[in-house]
Amino acid sequence: MSRTTPPRPFDVTALFPRLAPLARTATRLHPRPGSPSPHDSSVGGPLLWPAGEPWPHCPEPHPWEQVEAAFDLAEERADRGIPARTPHQDPEAHEAAEPAPDDLAGAGLPGPGGPIAMLPVAQLHARDVPRLRPPGRAGADLLQVLWCPFDHPATAHPRTALFWRSAAEVADVLDAPPEPPSVEYPGYLPQPCLLAPEEVVEYPHFMELDEELRQELADWSRWQASAPDASYADAPQDLYVSALSVSPGWKAGGWSRWGLTDPVPRACAVCGTAMDPLLTVASTEWNSGSRSWAPEGEQARDPLPPGVPPANYTRIDLARGYDLQLHVCPVSADHPHLELIQ
């Protein structure tokens, strides 16, 4: 089902022409609960993963107490009505740092002291997101994102892994990939969702603009020709931030959103090139400050279970409601990506 973002209140470039060359196209993904197959673009769905390729694991240590205190993966799925997946004995896991309890060892499950199998987060086909092309890999038309569902001291959020491949080259699909025994928080288990990609135009966040342009946007007299909501008269830049610049929710490309911190340098650790936003993994599709971006007719069309926060269709919760923004080097897809919580 298609979803359409309502038109912006007015053309911001007509009031501020210097914004025009800064426009970027972003693809809003609009994930909604469904039953994706390995051949679909999805959030939290099964991946088109080659049967003969090792499944990715997080190499960081996972202490017993951390895993034992976490939420059982099978129970979380059952609580949400997500169909159970075929159990798989994980051949990649190392022996635990401490002896496995008898109940785990008897079940043939890996001890939590070694590497933990990563969980699928997103799969995007270029046929659905045409601008999604990695530098230097002409045949790659599929992006797969996984994460370790445990926090680590260096990140305090799930550690992600990116994989680019050609979908046509995957002949035999791995039908029962290894899985972690548990997740640190329920919000680290994505609800399986299908996507309805939609391209929108974005402009830089207010804090990324130069000083002269920020002063122009903060001058109410510059806005009055468009007759905007007078409630923004004391801080018209807030109208720009909430309704005219960076779209909320899951998206590919576009501009970075800021707020938890001021903008920070995003240079490639290998070559120093400025990195580009690749994917925003969002805790919510919109909130009270960005409600104008909600697709038309959305709330009546996509109700959520009782107790689930508004617009939290993927059921992901990062750092109590923030987003995880992945940035990549435009020079080489082999250079390490950057993770930002904002």
Side-chain angles (χ1 to χ4, degrees):
M1 181 181 293
S2 64
R3 288 175 172 79
T4 303
T5 299
R8 298 301 82 205
F10 50 85
D11 179 7
V12 70
T13 63
L15 295 180
F16 305 95
R18 291 182 56 223
L19 286 171
L22 303 178
R24 285 184 184 174
T25 299
T27 303
R28 300 190 72 192
L29 300 178
H30 300 308
R32 299 296 182 270
S35 300
S37 79
H39 300 279
D40 293 318
S41 292
S42 66
V43 165
L47 302 184
L48 191 69
W49 194 271
E53 184 175 322
W55 187 260
H57 288 66
C58 176
E60 298 292 324
H62 301 87
W64 274 104
E65 59 271 17
Q66 183 183 28
V67 178
E68 286 184 322
F71 293 81
D72 183 84
L73 181 64
E75 291 180 2
E76 284 302 312
R77 283 205 175 109
D79 288 346
R80 295 197 211 164
I82 303 174
R85 297 185 180 176
T86 305
H88 183 106
Q89 183 169 344
D90 189 348
E92 298 294 326
H94 298 171
E95 292 184 2
E98 302 178 30
D102 291 340
D103 55 344
L104 288 181
L109 297 176
I116 291 286
M118 289 185 155
L119 276 176
V121 176
Q123 176 168 270
L124 302 179
H125 287 269
R127 65 172 184 258
D128 300 316
V129 188
R131 298 173 187 271
L132 196 72
R133 297 287 184 176
R137 298 191 187 178
D141 59 1
L142 179 63
L143 170 65
Q144 295 170 322
V145 182
L146 302 93
W147 68 23
C148 171
F150 289 90
D151 287 342
H152 295 284
T155 59
H157 60 72
R159 180 188 295 266
T160 57
L162 310 182
F163 295 86
W164 297 93
R165 68 176 77 251
S166 168
E169 293 179 357
V170 183
D172 297 320
V173 180
L174 182 64
D175 60 358
E179 294 192 324
S182 52
V183 294
E184 183 107 13
Y185 304 106
Y188 288 1
L189 172 63
Q191 187 81 12
C193 290
L194 291 166
L195 310 181
E198 175 202 20
E199 290 191 342
V200 297
V201 176
E202 294 188 343
Y203 300 95
H205 191 277
F206 179 77
M207 290 191 288
E208 288 209 80
L209 300 172
D210 61 48
E211 179 63 26
E212 181 180 353
L213 196 42
R214 289 201 302 270
Q215 289 180 357
E216 291 180 12
L217 287 165
D219 182 357
W220 177 244
S221 66
R222 299 289 300 268
W223 294 83
Q224 292 185 7
S226 65
D229 185 344
S231 65
Y232 287 99
D234 292 336
Q237 67 271 21
D238 290 348
L239 174 60
Y240 174 77
V241 170
S242 64
L244 300 169
S245 55
V246 181
S247 63
W250 283 74
K251 67 173 185 176
W255 283 94
S256 302
R257 177 176 292 277
W258 302 96
L260 183 61
T261 69
D262 288 347
V264 297
R266 288 143 287 159
C268 175
V270 174
C271 66
T273 304
M275 304 182 83
D276 294 332
L278 173 70
L279 178 68
T280 297
V281 177
S283 292
T284 184
E285 287 297 285
W286 66 85
N287 56 29
S288 58
S290 57
R291 193 177 299 276
S292 73
W293 292 93
E296 295 169 340
E298 187 71 9
Q299 297 186 34
R301 181 168 53 185
D302 291 316
L304 282 162
V308 177
N312 183 219
Y313 298 104
T314 65
R315 309 287 285 273
I316 283 177
D317 184 8
L318 294 164
R320 300 192 177 186
Y322 286 93
D323 299 343
L324 177 61
Q325 299 180 149
L326 306 182
H327 293 69
V328 291
C329 177
V331 173
S332 173
D334 295 323
H335 292 177
H337 66 284
L338 176 68
E339 302 167 338
L340 287 176
I341 286 284
Q342 287 293 326

